[in-house]
Amino acid sequence: MPRDHRPAKCVRVLLAEDQGMMRGALALLLGMEADLEVVAQVAAGDKIVDAALTHRPDVALLDIELPGMSGLEAAAELRDQVPDCRVLILTTFGRPGYLRRAMEAGAAGFLVKDGPVEELAASIRRVLTGETVIDPALAAAALSAGPNPLTARECDVLKASVDGATVADIAGKLHLSESTVRNYLSSAIGKTATRNRMEAVREARRQGWL
């Protein structure tokens, strides 16, 4: 809609999505809503807070899997640094663990990307009124899945285990002893009911715990 046909007060939206085609399509579709205006677009998580401080959006629409910083980490930073900005997570990965982490980070909503743009636009408006908007199927899955059984340190050790890192590598990176790393890995493997640390990493990612 032409800018002069927009209402005097538009909802200002920041869009964080690393896939250029998806980002452009979302910006175009949301921009067709008379009361929505995409004021900033970023492709990396570590650009979100700076863009929000510069453009002062009403709502930040964030993907989870972003380079530099995840959308969940950025949501927590926005809560602290731009508290007036409401956060809506929009992701391909409808994992129960992600939903719990998003709510803990202060997100006001969590939707998967396969919904219609009209639903997304309505959700943006709803979070501005103070509502929490969550995909119903994902909410049910999160309730049945239960909380993340892994401690923060166990998650750190699993994250550091990717790409074939040795126990010594992990210990050096996290400033832990090798025996402590082994204990954390053993505990994480047991909690994920897997046979080794790589299986534990895959299962924790599948559940959205990492």
Side-chain angles (χ1 to χ4, degrees), residues 5-176:
H5 287 176
R6 290 181 181 274
K9 174 61 176 175
C10 281
V11 179
R12 297 169 60 81
V13 179
L14 180 152
L15 179 58
E17 165 64 57
D18 62 329
Q19 297 183 24
M21 186 175 295
M22 173 67 75
R23 186 173 64 252
L26 278 173
L28 179 64
L29 290 170
L30 290 175
M32 295 174 67
E33 297 289 323
D35 59 336
L36 304 182
E37 181 181 9
V38 177
V39 296
Q41 300 180 46
V42 298
D46 52 6
K47 304 295 185 184
I48 291 171
V49 172
D50 285 345
L53 289 169
T54 299
H55 298 280
R56 294 291 171 177
D58 301 303
V59 176
L61 189 60
L62 311 182
D63 191 10
I64 290 179
E65 300 289 342
L66 294 168
M69 176 186 292
S70 75
L72 298 176
E73 293 168 323
E77 290 204 3
L78 284 174
R79 177 188 56 197
D80 296 334
Q81 298 191 44
V82 196
D84 292 337
C85 178
R86 302 280 281 170
V87 172
L88 186 58
I89 299 292
L90 181 66
T91 183
T92 304
F93 305 103
R95 297 169 181 168
Y98 278 164
L99 172 56
R100 287 181 177 274
R101 290 167 61 196
M103 296 300 103
E104 290 169 0
F110 194 111
L111 299 173
V112 291
K113 290 180 180 177
D114 59 0
V117 71
E118 294 82 7
E119 180 181 319
L120 175 58
S123 297
I124 290 172
R125 299 180 188 106
R126 288 171 62 192
V127 298
L128 270 185
T129 69
E131 289 188 56
T132 298
V133 181
I134 300 173
D135 178 86
L138 185 57
L143 287 173
S144 63
N148 179 0
L150 301 173
T151 66
R153 254 328 191 187
E154 288 165 354
C155 288
D156 290 341
V157 169
L158 285 181
K159 289 176 186 175
S161 296
V162 299
D163 301 325
T166 65
V167 169
D169 293 334
I170 299 168
K173 182 176 181 180
L174 299 180
H175 308 291
L176 299 170

